[in-house]
Every structure is written in C-alpha cells, then in structure tokens.
C-alpha cells in the first residue's frame, strides 16, 4: 500500500526500517501486540526520522533472526512496487537474536550480510547496515541457553568488526548504495557498560534511547542519501526476491556436502541456499500429491519426514546431487523399500 503510488520527482526519499524487536519498537508493538517498553517510541519516530522522511515503513518482527528476515523478504515484504521504486532508503538492524540464541559471531555476520545483499540485489534503494547494538542481558539468557559465553560484548565487537569490513567490500560492488553505521557507543557509559537509563532490560532501547539512536541514524542516512550514485546502479533492473524461486539451479551449481544448520545461517553464506530449498519444497509437495492420487490399497505406505539426514534417502541435498549421499537411495530400496 505504501508503494502503490510512485515517488513524485523531488518528493524526497522514502525510509524503510528492517529488523527485529528493536526496530519493531518504532511501531509501538512487540509481535504486533501493545508493548510497555515501547511507550513513546512511535512519537519519537515521528518527531525525528519522520520529519525528514515522513511515514517511515517499519518491516520488523520481535525475535527475528537473520534467516527469519530472509524468509519475510522472500514472502512478500519486498513487493514489486517497493523493489522497483527509486529514492528508497533502507536501514537494516538485525543479528542480535542470532547471538542470543547461541550462534557464533561468524554465523551471525554471514546471516546479516546475506540479508544486506538480498536488499541491495532486489531493490534500487540505498542501504544503511547497522552494527549490532550492545546488550547485557547475558544472565537471563544463560538460564535458557547454557551454550552462551559469559558476555555478549566480545561477540558483538567481533560481528561489528567483520561487518564494517564486509560493508566496505559491498560498497565496491554496489557503489554509492551502501554504508555502515555503529550507534552502539550511545548506549555505553564511561566504563563501557550498558546504560540502564537507555536500555532498562539491557537489550531494548527505551524512548530516550530510540531518540538518541534516531539522531545517529539521521546523520548516516542523510550522508548516504546525498552521496553520488553510480550510473550502473541507476540503470540496474531490480526485481522482487520471489522471482528467484522460479529460477532453476544454475548449471554446474555445487551440491551441499553435509547437513545444513537448522535455525541459523551456515558459516559460509553461499552454502545456505534458503530459496533453493523452498523451491525444492514445491517439488516435494508435487511428489506427495502424485504418490497419493490413487486410492490407497491394502498395503501400508511409508512416509519419511525430516531434514538433511532424511533427504539423503533421495540422494540429494536441497534437491541437488549430493556426493555424500551416493548409494543411499539404493540402500533404501534394498531395505525399507522391500517391505514398504
């Protein structure tokens, strides 16, 4: 709805904020429900970023990790109207929930950069990649996840250092379209500890914290907006992410050797073909319908449901030939396939 009407010439940019609960706070909600810690935050948005970029679009869901944002972008949050719109500014703040759920800094960084590349590849907009904000809710998280280290600070510093370098590399690939900002220092005191007056729960900024962050974002977004844009970018042909679902795998594409991690991006982002796996899901749906078109006979039918270990019975990984799966379909035929 926001992008049904084209941007009028000289009408300025439109701002899109992408992220998790910290970003959803701009809407005043958490998972679309009223949120006590979010009180006053929508007003801050209108009084700060909303003055320069009226009616910002907030695409954020509490609890989201990088793979969840990729799913959302694949499933409608980058419609053709937005993807093809000129004069769009995107701000991405994601990754803290990956760390909070025990993912390594390398995995979190890979996921963040995959989201960044998706936004750059499938829109004409300019992207501001945010550093992961500091947090100090380790003790509460530790009770739920014993795999966490004793502090988030070293992991966050590592992720942000890798992101700073990776965004610089992205800028060479997408000249004039991407930059990096670290607003984290606003939330730390002189002893490098999280300021409880700005993050009462040691994770989510309150209204005053969002006001300070908005000032940091406005400066960075304005610089990005006013910077020169490469001619090749202006003539690029952006298309919605969903278009990739219809593309067959490229000839010679390498198969996945080994299982995919469930719930987090692989360390090497190129080895986590989420869209390809969802395309393979369509194949499985058709296969299931075909197998049961005829009324069942008196025999039992065996259905195996699972992940990469179970898919190995097909001899594939995400629908592609799998070197590690050689001989497994034959084993299925000679064992379980004899009886069922």
């Amino acid at each position: 709805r926001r992008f049904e009407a084209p941007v009028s010439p000289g009408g300025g940019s439109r701002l899109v904020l992408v992220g998790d609960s910290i970003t959803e706070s701009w809407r005043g909600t958490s998972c679309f429900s009223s949120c006590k810690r979010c009180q006053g935050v929508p007003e801050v948005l209108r009084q700060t970023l909303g003055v320069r970029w009226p009616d910002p679009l907030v695409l954020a869901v509490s609890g989201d990790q990088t793979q969840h944002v990729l799913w959302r972008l694949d499933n409608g949050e980058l419609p053709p109207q937005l993807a093809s719109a000129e004069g769009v500014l995107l701000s991405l703040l994601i990754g803290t929930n990956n760390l909070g759920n025990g993912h390594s800094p390398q995995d979190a960084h890979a996921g963040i950069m995959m989201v960044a590349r998706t936004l750059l590849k499938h829109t004409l907009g300019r992207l501001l990649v945010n550093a992961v904000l500091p947090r100090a809710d380790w003790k509460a998280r530790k009770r739920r996840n014993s795999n966490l280290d004793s502090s988030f600070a070293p992991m966050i510093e590592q992720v942000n250092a890798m992101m700073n370098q990776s965004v610089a590399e992205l800028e060479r690939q997408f000249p004039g379209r991407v930059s990096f900002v670290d607003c984290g220092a606003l939330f730390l005191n002189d002893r490098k500890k999280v300021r409880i007056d700005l993050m009462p729960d040691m994770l989510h900024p309150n209204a005053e914290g969002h006001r300070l962050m908005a000032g940091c974002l406005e400066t960075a977004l304005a610089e990005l907006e006013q910077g020169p844009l490469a001619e090749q970018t202006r003539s690029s042909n952006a298309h919605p992410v969903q278009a990739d679902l219809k593309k067959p795998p490229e000839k010679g594409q390498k198969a996945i050797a080994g299982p995919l991690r469930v719930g987090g991006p692989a360390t090497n982002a190129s080895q986590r073909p989420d869209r390809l796996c969802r395309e393979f899901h369509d194949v499985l749906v058709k296969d299931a319908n075909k197998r049961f078109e005829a009324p069942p006979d008196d025999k039992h039918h065996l259905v195996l449901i699972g992940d990469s270990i179970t898919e190995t019975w097909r001899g594939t990984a995400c629908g592609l030939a799998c070197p590690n799966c050689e001989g497994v379909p034959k084993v299925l035929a000679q064992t379980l396939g004899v009886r069922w």
Side-chain angles (χ1 to χ4, degrees), residues 25-147:
S25 296
W26 292 119
R27 301 178 68 108
T29 63
S30 176
C31 280
F32 318 113
S33 298
S34 59
C35 169
K36 185 175 180 180
R37 62 169 171 76
C38 309
Q39 289 179 356
V41 179
E43 289 76 11
V44 170
L45 180 61
R46 286 191 289 271
Q47 295 166 0
T48 56
L49 298 174
V51 173
R52 185 163 189 155
W53 300 287
D55 200 17
L57 174 61
V58 179
L59 300 177
V61 177
S62 295
D64 264 13
Q65 300 168 40
T66 54
Q67 65 272 24
H68 304 132
V69 177
L70 286 170
W71 185 91
R72 289 196 283 117
L73 297 178
D74 274 355
N75 286 271
E77 290 191 22
L78 276 188
Q81 303 97 308
L82 193 162
S84 59
E86 306 239 3
V88 173
L89 282 174
L90 299 130
S91 176
L92 173 66
L93 175 58
I94 196 66
T96 193
N97 289 321
N98 293 78
L99 296 177
N101 282 274
H103 298 167
S104 70
Q106 291 78 15
D107 276 4
H109 162 258
I112 295 166
M113 298 317 297
M114 188 183 293
V115 177
R117 286 183 177 277
T118 297
L119 289 169
L120 288 167
K121 181 179 178 182
H122 298 285
T123 73
L124 297 176
R126 304 189 190 206
L127 172 66
L128 180 66
V129 181
N130 286 251
V132 176
L133 295 180
R135 59 187 293 181
D137 60 329
W138 169 79
K139 290 184 179 180
R141 292 279 170 169
K142 185 72 172 177
R143 289 194 291 268
R144 287 182 279 173
N145 189 342
S146 60
N147 294 324

